[in-house]
Structure formats: C-alpha cells, structure tokens
Amino acid sequence: MMGENAATKNHHHHQVSDLSIEMPPQQGLSKCFDDDGRLKRTGNVWTASSHIITAVIGSGVLSLAWAIAQLGWIAGPVMMFLFSFVIYYTSCLLTECYRSGDPITGKRNYTYMEAVRSNLGGVKVKICGTIQYLNLFGVAIGYTIAASISMMAIKRSNCFHESGGKSGCHLSSNPYMIMFGVVEIFFSQIPDFDQIWWLSIVAAVMSFTYSSIGLGLGIAQVAENGKFMGSLTGISVGPITETQKIWRSFQALGDIAFAYSYSIILIEIQDTVKSPPSEGKTMKKATLLSVIVTTAFYMLCGCMGYAAFGDQAPGNLLTGFGFYNPYWLLDIANAAIVIHLVGAYQVYCQPLFAFIEKWASQTWPKSDFINKNYKVPLPGFRAFNFNLFRLTWRSAFVVVTTVISMLLPFFNDVVGLLGALGFWPLTVYFPVEMYIAQKRIPRWSTQWICLQTLSLACLIISVAAAAGSIAGVVLDLKVYKPFKTSY
C-alpha cells in the first residue's frame, strides 16, 4: 500500500533493521555512519539553501509581474510578503516533524509521507501521498513545457535578428521537448538526492542569472519610459470584464502562492543535512535565508516588471522586451532558464523516484533486476552504482512526461490547477496538523485556534486560486488544437 511504503532513499546498501538503531554504534563505524546506520549525511545550511532556492526560484518568477498587474501596487506586494511569511512559518513547523519524539535523537522520518504517517497515520497518509506525487508528476510536465518555450525563444530571437523581422519564424516545440527529455533521462540516473547537490548549486546560480537579467531589463525599460507604470488597484475593468478581473485576481494569488511552494520536498532536503547541530536548527536557518533571498528577488522582479509594462505586463517577463532589446542578453536569460529547469526537474522528481524504487524493492525483494547494483568505474570519480530497474523506470517516467507535454502544450494551466489543489494540504494543512500532534497542543487553546485560523484562511485562498486556474483551462480548451506543431 502507498501509505505503508513511503518513499525513502533507496540507498545501494541493504536497509538496516530497526534493531541497529538501538544498538550503540561501534567506535570505528560511528565516523562513517549516522545514528540510523546510513552513511554520514554531509549537507549544511548552504547546500540545503541551494536545494530550496533551486526548487523555489523557478520560472514562476517571470510571471510575477503579470500577477502584480492583476492586483495593483498595494495588494500585489502585500500578498507577496504575506505568502513569504506563511511559507516560512509552516516550513518551520514542518522541520520539527523530521524526527518523531525527541528533536535530537528521535526516529528520523526520511520523507514527507513518513512524517505524516508517524504523526497522523491512517487514511491521511494515502491522501498526502496521492496529492504529493500527482503534484510532482505535474511539475515535471510543466518544467518540460517551460524549458521548450525558452529554447524556442532563443531560436526565434536569432531568426528574427537574422531576417530583420521579415520572417514569421514559426517553430514546433516538439523537438525541444524531446531534447530536454533526453537530457533528463541522463541526469535522472543519479541515484540519490544527496548526490545532486552540485546540480542544485548550478541551477540556483542560473535562476539568479535570468532573474537578474529580467530585473535589469525592467529597470532599463522604466528609465526609458521616464516613469513608473501601473496603478494602485491593478488592471482596470474596461479592457477586461468584471468577471475576468475577479478570475485573474484569483489566478494571481495562485501564481504568488505556488511561486513560494517547496514544502513537498522539504523533509527530503532535511534528510541530506548533517548533525550536530540538530537538523531542525540547520533547516530553519536555510529556510529563513532562502525565503529572504527569494522574497527580495520576487519583489524586485515582479515590481520592476509591473513598473516597466503596467497593465500590459506579459505572462512571461522575458517575452515583453521584444526580440531586439538586446536579443543576445535575452538569449543568455533563456539559456539560464533551461539549465535551471534541468536541475529543478531532478530536485522535484528524486522523491518520486525513491518512492517507486523502495516500493518495488519491498514488493520483489529477491529480484536481481530491481535490487542488484553494478559498480561502473569512472576515471577520476568514485564508482557509479548502475541499476537496471532504475534505468528502465526513470527513463520511462521521463518519456511519459515528455509525450504528455507534447500532446498538451497548454498544460501549464493544468499544472497551476494541480498546484492550487496541492498548496493548502501540503504547505499548510499537514504541517499544522503534524505540529499540533507532535507538540500535543490542546484543542481550543489559543495556539490551536491561531494555527487552525491560518489553515482555514489558506484553504480559502487555495480554492479561489483553483477556481481561477479552472477558468484559464476552460479558455484554453476553447482555442485548443490537438497536435499543434508550430507557434
């Protein structure tokens, strides 16, 4: 059952029995292994921060100017600060749930689902797992589409530049999605989360690169305009109807909320962190650092984008500057997006990979195809653990997400809907309920009422955002042509 087989790191050595945790570690082995018998974790504040920043500062940062344009100069920044506070607070609650019982020596929960099982149990585990893995699957598809859009933008900008704007430069997104899929098949063979720290750091640097270019171009556009565009209440009724204004405002709330969401992989990131100090302390520092950095970037990019374009702010900030202004800089930004998405895809998919592999290993413990590892020597590096099941299943997963992306290139709206449905339960509800259970907070106490009020408020926002996303999907379906090959 999904609840019984929560995802854990599918380390190449056999799972150590629970008895080994209670035995005092041998002096020689304690230097190499942690209290649970696994190899020493090596993560720190910086690697954890880079994982979070890689997951958070996705290409979603480019839609924030559009989101602020729907809400205006007052509500837009206020909602961004509000969401950053909520995400930071609920993430701190979640870090407390990594260990059950004692925060320093208690039993480790290796994944989000295991934390839910240890603290809440029952049917909630299955609900959590279904939402979490559906979300991760949707994100993989969304990232494939987003990467192909950026690759097409590079090709089109160069085509426009070479033809002097005379050519329509129509392209198919399919070859670019296939290219992205091939790269992901290669990177998905990295066995464990803690072995992709370098990919996260590269991706985090790339996210700053394209965000900085978007910010710089926004500042340049404001200077060229000689004034700040936009209004206090956002896009006015007239160009759009009152109903559209409401749906767009809801969708904007969703955009901001999901731009910050990373709770579904927080426990997995925490499981890469070494101790002492306790993993919770390290993760709280990493979370604070990450939220401050991302909020500063989000405010700058979103606000400068709105100041540059006003009500005409585009859905993707980097498409608002045309193909000439300056085209080579936009190419660098779009290339940085693609490299970032390669890393972000892996950060999000590793928990899903590990879950399926652990389930398969427990279901067929005697199968060599699933459990046997082959050591492949790599010159200058340590031997690579090659596994046939990992190669087959992860490659199949990437192929499926790529094919769905090709069939439904407007799937970003559907991913927005998946995100809307996942935001409240995964980012707020489960962390709050687990924290209440872990700390045994009495029902109807002041702290309990405050936590439940926060949860209810976020549920209302999540429902509103889901409604806005559904409205977007309905509009897409009206003009959708299956197997469309050029844009």
Side-chain angles (χ1 to χ4, degrees), residues 119-142:
N119 291 286
L120 302 175
V123 73
K124 289 181 180 176
V125 183
K126 291 180 182 176
I127 294 169
C128 166
T130 304
I131 296 168
Q132 183 183 10
Y133 295 126
L134 263 178
N135 244 349
L136 295 174
F137 183 69
V139 165
I141 293 166

Side-chain angles (χ1 to χ4, degrees), residues 294-317:
T294 50
T295 302
F297 253 82
Y298 282 3
M299 291 298 286
L300 285 167
C301 289
C303 293
M304 289 313 297
Y306 185 40
F309 297 106
D311 291 350
Q312 302 304 312
N316 179 336
L317 185 59

Side-chain angles (χ1 to χ4, degrees), residues 162-183:
E162 285 163 12
S163 68
K166 291 172 188 168
S167 167
C169 298
H170 294 295
L171 299 168
S172 168
S173 61
N174 292 348
Y176 299 98
M177 291 186 186
I178 292 168
M179 282 163 57
F180 185 77
V182 169
V183 172

Side-chain angles (χ1 to χ4, degrees), residues 45-61 143 193 197 199-211 258-262 265-266 269 283 285-298 340-341 343-345 347-348:
V45 170
W46 299 108
T47 60
S49 298
S50 69
H51 280 317
I52 295 171
I53 290 168
T54 299
V56 179
I57 303 188
S59 49
V61 67
Y143 280 1
F193 213 141
W197 59 269
L199 193 58
S200 274
I201 290 170
V202 170
V205 169
M206 290 299 124
S207 66
F208 285 126
T209 302
Y210 67 73
S211 301
F258 316 132
Y260 278 106
S261 295
Y262 64 92
I265 54 171
L266 185 137
I269 293 172
M283 277 309 287
K285 283 183 188 170
T287 296
L288 181 61
L289 178 65
S290 305
V291 169
I292 289 171
V293 169
T294 50
T295 302
F297 253 82
Y298 282 3
H340 171 256
L341 289 172
Y345 186 104
V347 168
Y348 271 101

Side-chain angles (χ1 to χ4, degrees), residues 20-265:
S20 63
I21 296 170
E22 294 166 19
M23 290 164 61
Q26 296 173 26
Q27 194 60 40
L29 291 178
S30 62
K31 291 176 185 173
C32 302
F33 295 94
D34 274 328
D35 55 359
D36 59 346
R38 294 191 171 186
L39 285 171
K40 273 267 189 228
R41 291 156 176 84
T42 56
N44 54 36
V45 170
W46 299 108
T47 60
S49 298
S50 69
H51 280 317
I52 295 171
I53 290 168
T54 299
V56 179
I57 303 188
S59 49
V61 67
L62 302 172
S63 67
L64 290 175
W66 180 88
I68 292 180
Q70 312 313 308
L71 299 169
W73 277 119
I74 297 173
V78 166
M79 291 311 294
M80 285 176 79
F81 275 123
L82 200 60
F83 276 114
S84 66
F85 172 74
V86 168
I87 294 289
Y88 170 66
Y89 182 69
T90 57
S91 296
C92 286
L93 299 184
L94 193 54
T95 61
E96 299 279 349
C97 304
Y98 173 63
R99 286 184 183 266
S100 298
D102 190 277
I104 306 222
T105 58
K107 173 190 165 290
R108 294 173 188 264
N109 297 307
Y110 301 120
T111 65
Y112 194 110
M113 263 176 76
E114 256 185 48
V116 173
R117 186 167 74 239
S118 296
N119 291 286
L120 302 175
V123 73
K124 289 181 180 176
V125 183
K126 291 180 182 176
I127 294 169
C128 166
T130 304
I131 296 168
Q132 183 183 10
Y133 295 126
L134 263 178
N135 244 349
L136 295 174
F137 183 69
V139 165
I141 293 166
Y143 280 1
T144 304
I145 296 166
S148 74
I149 289 168
S150 286
M151 287 190 267
M152 285 167 65
I154 295 171
K155 182 73 177 168
R156 287 185 74 184
S157 75
N158 291 331
C159 169
F160 270 104
H161 186 72
E162 285 163 12
S163 68
K166 291 172 188 168
S167 167
C169 298
H170 294 295
L171 299 168
S172 168
S173 61
N174 292 348
Y176 299 98
M177 291 186 186
I178 292 168
M179 282 163 57
F180 185 77
V182 169
V183 172
E184 290 304 342
I185 285 175
F186 174 76
F187 279 114
S188 67
Q189 297 312 309
I190 299 172
D192 282 325
F193 213 141
D194 54 358
Q195 291 175 28
I196 60 168
W197 59 269
W198 59 272
L199 193 58
S200 274
I201 290 170
V202 170
V205 169
M206 290 299 124
S207 66
F208 285 126
T209 302
Y210 67 73
S211 301
S212 302
I213 291 172
L215 172 61
L217 290 171
I219 293 168
Q221 187 73 38
V222 169
E224 194 178 305
N225 295 342
K227 62 174 183 178
F228 276 60
M229 307 277 277
S231 64
L232 294 179
T233 54
I235 192 166
S236 53
V237 175
I240 59 169
T241 64
E242 273 186 40
T243 311
Q244 281 178 313
K245 170 78 175 172
I246 293 166
W247 288 135
R248 284 186 174 200
S249 297
F250 286 163
Q251 212 171 344
L253 289 180
D255 277 5
I256 296 170
F258 316 132
Y260 278 106
S261 295
Y262 64 92
S263 300
I264 53 176
I265 54 171

